[in-house]
Amino acid sequence: MGATTGFRSIYRHGFARVAACTTRCTLADPAANAAAILDVARDCDRRGVALAVFPELGVSGYAISDLLHQTTLLDAVEAAIANIVAASVELLPLLLVGAPLRHAGALYNCALAVHRGRLLGVVPKVHLPNYREFYEPRHFVVGDGIVGGEITIGAHTAPFGTDLLFAAEDVSNLVVHAEICEDIWIPIPPSSQAALAGATVLANLSASNITIGKAETRRLLCASQSARCLAAYLYAAAGAGESTTDLAWDGQASIFENGNTLAETERFPSASQFAVADIDLDMLRHERMQMGSFDTNRRRNPAAFRRIPFRLDPPPGDIGLERKVERYPFVPADAARLQQDCYEAYNIQVSGLTQRLRATGIKHVVIGVSGGLDSTQALIVCAQSLDLLGLPRANILAYTLPGFATSDHTKSNAIRLMESLNVTWEELDIRPAAERMLADIGHPFARGEPVYDLTFENVQAGLRTDYLFRLANHHNGIVIGTGDLSELALGWCTYGVGDQMSHYNVNGGVPKTLIQHLIRWAIGSQQFAPDVLTTLEAILATEITPELVPTKVGETPQSTEASIGPYALQDFNLYYTLRHGFVPSKIAFLACHAWSDATKGNWPSGFPQERRNSYDLPTIRKWLEVFLRRFFAFSQFKRSAMPNGPKVSAGGSLSPRGDWRAPSDGNANAWLAELERNVPRE
């Protein structure tokens, strides 16, 4: 498939659309219930759904008690199943339907897998509740231990047992397992072994009456099971129409993925409804591959499952994406979650530095302050750390080191911040030393020529670091690094005697897009005195620039993002490369959904309106190519020698002693080739 064909198809990019459905039940009327199931199945088909899960005993109704032993009812159930199988010929989704079935002289509570006119298999319920309001053993026998069998229902014969997985032949990693209601409420659910055997989508056909607080318990069970199994978990409970003789029903239908809630329906519906979400099969596969203990657990708990193949034939075109994609994967849009993340990130930085100072017995820190975001965040972390240690802030030796392009605006911000924090500060002009070095090495700038090349820039960056290290020697302190995770990813730092190096880097695990929110959090939570907070506000409004190349009046100042791309996009690329190992085409696909329209979706709390940008596919592709070249082919040697500093984000760190190890002499060829093959330029 070429780059321009099907780029926007979710199935091409490792997603599968699934639905958790609740139908309006007609008690003991299998024909009516089959019709209701098929109505919802047709809606799912129109939405491009690969799997639709329906409630427990949905064909007959759950709360019909001894009617379950009536031959007339059970005959009608088999006839209804035949109708569902026949009607499924033209439908896309694999249907998981609940029904009571006779087999070998006993009655089982079953989940039936139906697809394209075939009964693929039947899974009996393993655990039958017999406590409080539940009396299932009165009507059913347990499915425990039933493996390798077959069942005949009318004209259809299919595999029967608790050992069934339903695997799509044409959608990689779409492997489905079914369990029924009580099976999730026990210490080791059947779905745990199924996940170890390769199931990525775990489905629960449930009845589960509602009582106060029970819905949240279900969410906790299902979400934790999805996290523990590194899987998607679909839950569909009985709702409207079930008997309320002694119980009530809320029709809870939910979809979870690796601990996160993707979609839920309204509860207490009056009609049929369903929740839809696109689950990320690539992500689940990658999580399992990375987590070696998952495979260890698999080998310690071997279980034989039969794989029942089916061919989905998903739609090849654009059917949208039923999934929230954060513009800033390191920065949640949810205000409460962002507050929590900022609190934790800030305190991780502070506790890391506090422990390093406590362990070394060193009482002074040395830091360069530019008036930009990174050095600002590092400086306020230093202030908080010394406060915790009971040391005076005067022990922070802060220096502003103006060079050839330092603006009055950033320098004044730096001075105001240092003064308001009551640190010991000094201005140290590096220009004379830089001029001397440029002259000593014969650089054209020393002869009056306006040559502002890499050497010109790095002479300044290197001198700043050199001064800081010698000052640290002189004052028995340590140099605090200010460079962030994003700069390390892109290699946007001067190696060795430069901003890549320090004694301890509190920002090394913090992405650029998060730092501004950490500063906003410090302002909002009033971590410092009012005059400090006012200066922090001013710094937030300043454009990101290295301030190394002089500009004439009327010229645009040197811009970091004009050189290496918007940090919004590059942090997006970093997250999905580092955390999930996605191919470039999938990252581009996700970026299109996250960034193509600034008016859609949520922005992080407090994000300035004027900075709410959008990016089209050509722009996304352009900067993704830059990212791939810099991340894989250029900058690893800088990360291989990066200083100590705490990991901050679950998105990952780039420390060679932590999340990321790679050869310093690698290349980006495979990633660039995948980008060229699969991402259109327009």
Side-chain angles (χ1 to χ4, degrees):
M1 184 179 287
T4 58
T5 305
F7 172 72
R8 295 186 182 274
S9 165
I10 63 165
Y11 286 97
R12 179 180 176 182
H13 292 292
F15 294 98
R17 182 161 296 172
V18 298
C21 313
T22 180
T23 52
R24 182 171 182 84
C25 174
T26 303
L27 291 172
D29 190 344
N33 292 329
I37 289 168
L38 288 169
D39 283 344
V40 173
R42 292 185 185 100
D43 287 339
C44 291
D45 175 75
R46 286 187 283 270
R47 295 278 291 273
V49 167
L51 169 67
V53 180
F54 293 86
E56 178 183 15
L57 298 178
V59 174
S60 62
Y62 178 85
I64 60 175
S65 195
D66 289 351
L67 298 184
L68 287 164
H69 279 176
Q70 289 290 307
T71 301
T72 301
L73 175 79
L74 297 175
D75 288 345
V77 165
E78 293 186 3
I81 290 170
N83 290 338
I84 292 172
V85 174
S88 72
V89 169
E90 301 299 326
L91 299 179
L92 171 66
L94 168 65
L95 308 178
L96 290 179
V97 178
L101 293 178
R102 293 168 292 194
H103 176 69
L107 187 66
Y108 292 88
N109 182 343
C110 296
L112 296 86
V114 177
H115 188 252
R116 302 283 195 193
R118 295 170 56 204
L119 179 61
L120 298 182
V122 178
V123 180
K125 186 172 183 177
V126 177
H127 301 92
L128 302 180
N130 192 31
Y131 55 89
R132 293 196 290 273
E133 64 264 46
F134 302 110
Y135 302 96
E136 287 189 29
R138 177 181 175 89
H139 306 111
F140 301 108
V141 296
V142 299
D144 188 32
I146 298 178
V147 296
E150 283 190 338
I151 188 171
T152 299
I153 306 170
H156 302 281
T157 297
F160 180 69
T162 60
D163 58 340
L164 303 184
L165 301 179
F166 305 98
E169 297 176 306
D170 54 344
V171 177
S172 181
N173 303 306
L174 178 56
V175 183
V176 179
H177 174 264
E179 63 188 7
I180 303 173
C181 200
E182 185 76 6
D183 290 341
I184 187 61
W185 293 79
I186 51 117
I188 305 177
S191 54
S192 294
Q193 286 195 313
L196 294 174
T200 53
V201 183
L202 314 174
N204 189 299
L205 296 77
S206 180
S208 191
N209 65 296
I210 186 62
T211 54
I212 295 172
K214 190 174 184 180
E216 183 58 28
T217 303
R218 295 185 196 130
R219 287 191 193 96
L220 289 171
L221 284 170
C222 296
S224 64
Q225 184 68 349
S226 74
R228 187 178 297 106
C229 293
L230 299 175
Y233 199 93
L234 280 65
Y235 183 88
E242 280 289 355
S243 173
T244 56
T245 300
D246 292 298
L247 303 172
W249 315 85
D250 67 336
Q252 185 173 9
S254 311
I255 301 172
F256 306 88
E257 178 192 82
N258 196 22
N260 299 308
T261 303
L262 297 187
E264 286 191 304
T265 60
E266 293 292 328
R267 293 168 57 213
F268 302 101
S270 59
S272 299
Q273 61 177 3
F274 56 97
V276 174
D278 293 335
I279 57 173
D280 193 337
L281 299 169
D282 286 347
M283 181 272 291
L284 297 173
R285 176 190 61 183
H286 187 264
E287 290 293 293
R288 290 181 177 185
M289 180 183 69
Q290 276 198 322
M291 187 177 174
S293 51
F294 187 91
D295 185 68
T296 301
N297 194 233
R298 176 188 63 82
R299 287 183 278 114
R300 288 176 62 88
N301 296 276
F305 278 82
R306 289 178 283 173
R307 286 201 172 210
I308 312 301
F310 67 99
R311 184 171 184 83
L312 188 66
D313 290 326
D318 183 5
I319 58 172
L321 183 66
E322 297 279 356
R323 185 183 182 91
K324 182 174 69 174
V325 182
E326 296 271 14
R327 288 182 173 87
Y328 295 96
F330 291 107
V331 184
D334 178 76
R337 173 65 190 278
L338 178 57
Q339 287 290 308
Q340 178 70 16
D341 284 9
C342 288
Y343 163 79
E344 290 184 342
Y346 181 78
N347 282 284
I348 287 169
Q349 291 180 278
V350 170
S351 64
L353 178 57
T354 301
Q355 171 60 19
R356 178 54 54 95
L357 293 173
R358 185 182 289 117
T360 60
I362 291 174
K363 293 180 171 53
H364 291 84
V365 296
V366 175
I367 184 171
V369 183
S370 68
L373 295 176
D374 290 351
S375 64
T376 294
Q377 176 63 18
L379 180 58
I380 63 176
V381 166
C382 289
Q384 187 71 55
S385 181
L386 265 66
D387 289 351
L388 287 174
L389 289 167
L391 297 172
R393 289 187 187 172
N395 285 19
I396 300 173
L397 310 179
Y399 297 87
T400 181
L401 301 119
F404 296 116
T406 300
S407 69
D408 291 338
H409 177 68
T410 55
K411 187 172 83 169
S412 64
N413 278 342
I415 292 171
R416 286 169 57 199
L417 181 63
M418 293 184 292
E419 287 180 337
S420 61
L421 284 169
N422 297 316
V423 306
T424 301
W425 73 273
E426 185 177 340
E427 180 178 339
L428 205 165
D429 191 341
I430 66 167
R431 286 173 293 186
E435 289 169 348
R436 174 62 186 267
M437 180 176 286
L438 290 166
D440 287 347
I441 66 176
H443 191 274
F445 179 81
R447 301 190 296 270
E449 300 177 30
V451 176
Y452 308 128
D453 57 7
L454 184 63
T455 302
F456 176 82
E457 293 188 16
N458 281 351
V459 161
Q460 297 172 76
L463 278 170
R464 286 180 174 129
T465 303
D466 200 359
Y467 273 119
L468 294 174
F469 269 90
R470 302 297 74 79
L471 286 162
N473 295 155
H474 186 54
H475 295 288
N476 191 29
I478 62 171
V479 176
I480 304 304
T482 60
D484 60 53
L485 182 74
S486 309
E487 292 174 343
L488 286 163
L490 294 160
W492 193 249
C493 51
T494 302
Y495 180 75
V497 185
D499 55 327
Q500 177 262 351
M501 187 49 61
S502 63
H503 288 117
Y504 193 78
N505 188 359
V506 295
N507 284 348
V510 184
K512 181 77 75 177
T513 50
L514 180 58
I515 283 182
Q516 61 177 294
H517 296 281
L518 292 176
I519 296 173
R520 285 196 185 95
W521 177 83
I523 296 170
S525 58
Q526 298 184 324
Q527 297 292 309
F528 299 97
D531 55 341
V532 177
L533 303 183
T534 300
T535 304
L536 293 178
E537 291 276 14
I539 290 169
L540 278 175
T542 303
E543 182 181 0
I544 301 169
T545 171
E547 292 194 325
L548 294 171
V549 175
T551 56
K552 297 177 182 177
V553 176
E555 289 183 341
T556 302
Q558 184 184 16
S559 168
T560 295
E561 293 184 306
S563 299
I564 59 173
Y567 276 114
L569 289 181
Q570 299 300 32
D571 275 4
F572 191 95
N573 297 333
L574 172 61
Y575 178 87
Y576 285 108
T577 299
L578 178 62
R579 183 67 178 85
H580 296 306
F582 285 169
V583 296
S585 60
K586 179 160 185 170
I587 297 173
F589 170 80
L590 290 170
C592 283
H593 282 279
W595 285 102
S596 61
D597 189 341
T599 66
K600 293 182 179 179
N602 297 322
W603 289 81
S605 177
F607 196 89
Q609 191 70 37
E610 66 275 10
R611 296 189 183 182
R612 299 187 177 190
N613 300 318
S614 62
Y615 302 101
D616 58 15
L617 180 58
T619 303
I620 289 167
R621 191 190 192 284
K622 170 188 173 181
W623 293 119
L624 178 54
E625 182 174 346
V626 169
F627 174 84
L628 296 173
R629 292 185 187 281
R630 296 190 70 95
F631 185 80
F632 288 106
F634 166 68
S635 57
Q636 179 58 40
F637 76 99
K638 299 181 181 182
R639 299 189 291 267
S640 294
M642 66 182 282
N644 292 179
K647 177 179 176 178
V648 173
S649 170
S653 80
L654 290 170
S655 169
R657 301 166 297 277
D659 287 21
W660 183 255
R661 297 167 177 82
S664 294
D665 49 3
N667 65 79
N669 295 343
W671 290 266
L672 293 170
E674 200 280 339
L675 180 75
E676 184 64 29
R677 284 194 311 270
N678 296 320
V679 181
R681 294 182 178 274
E682 299 296 334

